[in-house]
Amino acid sequence: MSSSKLDPVARRPLPSQVVKDDESALVAAAKAGDISAFETLVGRYERKIFRLTQNITQNREDAEDAMQEAFLKAYEHLQSFEGNSRFYTWLVRIAVNQALMKLRKRRPNVVSLDEEVNTGEDMVPREVEDWGPSPADRYAQTELSEILTKVIGDLDPPFRIVFQLRDIEELSTEETAEALGLSVPAVKSRLLRARLKLRQTLNQYFRRGENK
Amino acid sequence: MKCKTIITELADYLDEALDPILRASIEEHLGKCKDCRIVVDTCKQTIEIFCNSEPAPLPQTTRLRLHEALAKRLRRVRA
């Protein structure tokens, strides 16, 4: 690396961002009773919403149910969506609630999002190895997808869910805090730990010289 | 600045949410500390890999069940 200054995180425009201009038109049409407009929205977001509910619940059946209930609730409450946020952000919040209900039902004593988080010395990374450029390109799409699903699944729920909303769904810190009923500092501390833990776990796959 | 401070401020640094003075101090430290530079860079790559990853296609049975449930609800609304 020639400079200490890093470029901002390079986020590829999400399909939902590329087409966001017509998202509000589709929502308006769906609110006016155009069922095919709502079906278009479902088709656009079903994969992302299923990944979200799958990553939160870590259970295929619960993830399917949560996704289904999220779309049904979104349709049912469409008239109350006022467009203060993007439709997708609103849909994510509904899906998170459904997925959390499933997770809490299955693991009632395990899931507490607001418990104290240790921010002590153990956060300083132990393994410091360079990955080189474009480490993900060393894996086929399916293999990479399996790796990412596994490593995020190994995180404890409070960290997994905050990372999912903030860094995968790209909600703002404030939107993430509101969706999960957490304070902004609590979101930030969980996000930091999640990012560091994922970095450490991915190190075994991406470090330079890893035999692929 | 200590390496531990870089870790504490890492999330805000990557999100470009730091005030310019603290950001400049961090960048000065990163210019001198290779380990911190690698941690910051690999953490940034971690976020990019996740946020740029494509969701897998919906399993066919899952998709069918979803669309059947929706069709049923939409029919009820229309009736």
Side-chain angles (χ1 to χ4, degrees):
Chain A
M1 195 181 306
S2 57
S3 162
S4 61
K5 190 172 180 178
L6 288 162
D7 293 329
V9 173
R11 297 175 192 274
R12 184 190 57 189
L14 295 169
S16 54
Q17 287 174 310
V18 173
V19 295
K20 74 177 175 186
D21 287 345
D22 75 340
E23 186 186 81
S24 51
L26 285 168
V27 172
K31 282 175 98 166
D34 181 348
I35 287 169
S36 69
F38 188 75
E39 285 169 338
T40 303
L41 289 166
V42 173
R44 183 172 292 178
Y45 299 130
E46 60 191 11
R47 290 168 63 184
K48 293 185 70 186
I49 294 296
F50 185 61
R51 177 176 64 178
L52 168 73
T53 56
Q54 178 80 47
N55 279 350
I56 292 176
T57 62
Q58 295 291 302
N59 177 286
R60 161 103 178 241
E61 191 187 333
D62 285 352
E64 276 190 26
D65 288 350
M67 171 181 66
Q68 200 176 104
E69 284 156 25
F71 280 120
L72 292 173
K73 276 196 183 303
Y75 189 75
E76 201 175 302
H77 296 285
L78 199 55
Q79 296 304 329
S80 68
F81 173 67
E82 292 175 345
N84 297 327
S85 65
R86 286 189 46 217
F87 172 78
Y88 181 67
T89 306
W90 182 70
L91 180 62
V92 163
R93 292 183 57 171
I94 296 173
V96 167
N97 281 337
Q98 296 304 315
L100 282 175
M101 276 196 280
K102 297 283 176 198
L103 183 63
R104 286 182 173 127
K105 201 169 174 184
R106 199 172 284 274
R107 302 170 67 189
N109 302 317
V110 178
V111 186
S112 171
L113 292 179
D114 55 2
E115 65 195 29
E116 281 292 309
V117 169
N118 174 16
T119 51
E121 291 288 340
D122 67 318
M123 287 215 302
V124 178
R126 292 190 300 273
E127 297 167 78
V128 180
E129 293 172 88
D130 195 4
W131 292 358
S134 308
D137 292 351
R138 291 178 227 149
Y139 291 87
Q141 186 60 47
T142 318
E143 198 178 2
L144 178 66
S145 183
E146 282 168 9
I147 291 169
L148 299 184
T149 301
K150 184 190 177 317
V151 299
I152 200 168
D154 286 344
L155 285 179
D156 287 338
F159 306 111
R160 185 168 79 224
I161 296 165
V162 166
F163 182 82
Q164 175 79 33
L165 294 193
R166 187 65 186 72
D167 279 345
I168 301 181
E169 306 307 334
E170 299 191 51
L171 267 59
S172 68
T173 303
E174 290 73 19
E175 286 169 337
T176 304
E178 204 183 327
L180 300 176
L182 292 171
S183 66
V184 166
V187 168
K188 285 187 173 188
S189 63
R190 281 152 183 73
L191 183 63
L192 175 61
R193 285 192 75 89
R195 287 172 170 178
L196 287 170
K197 175 74 179 160
L198 288 170
R199 187 207 74 85
Q200 190 177 308
T201 314
L202 286 177
N203 198 48
Q204 64 184 295
Y205 299 99
F206 293 146
R207 63 190 161 210
R208 208 189 272 275
E210 179 59 23
N211 191 18
K212 265 300 298 170
Chain B
M1 178 171 287
K2 292 181 178 174
C3 297
K4 197 183 165 199
T5 309
I6 302 291
I7 301 305
T8 312
E9 303 296 340
L10 180 59
D12 279 344
Y13 176 73
L14 290 172
D15 294 337
E16 301 192 303
L18 287 179
D19 73 72
I21 295 170
L22 183 52
R23 185 171 186 85
S25 305
I26 287 176
E27 280 166 1
E28 188 188 342
H29 178 92
L30 293 178
K32 294 181 283 193
C33 180
K34 189 181 172 198
D35 279 359
C36 281
R37 212 159 56 227
I38 291 174
V39 169
V40 171
D41 186 48
T42 50
C43 205
K44 175 174 163 272
Q45 286 181 310
T46 298
I47 299 166
E48 287 174 352
I49 288 165
F50 273 99
C51 84
N52 294 336
S53 67
E54 279 287 334
L58 221 54
Q60 192 57 22
T61 50
T62 304
R63 192 164 189 280
L64 273 176
R65 271 200 289 270
L66 169 67
H67 287 266
E68 272 169 17
L70 280 170
K72 200 170 154 191
R73 176 70 60 94
L74 298 180
R75 271 199 305 273
R76 213 162 57 206
V77 171
R78 252 186 296 195

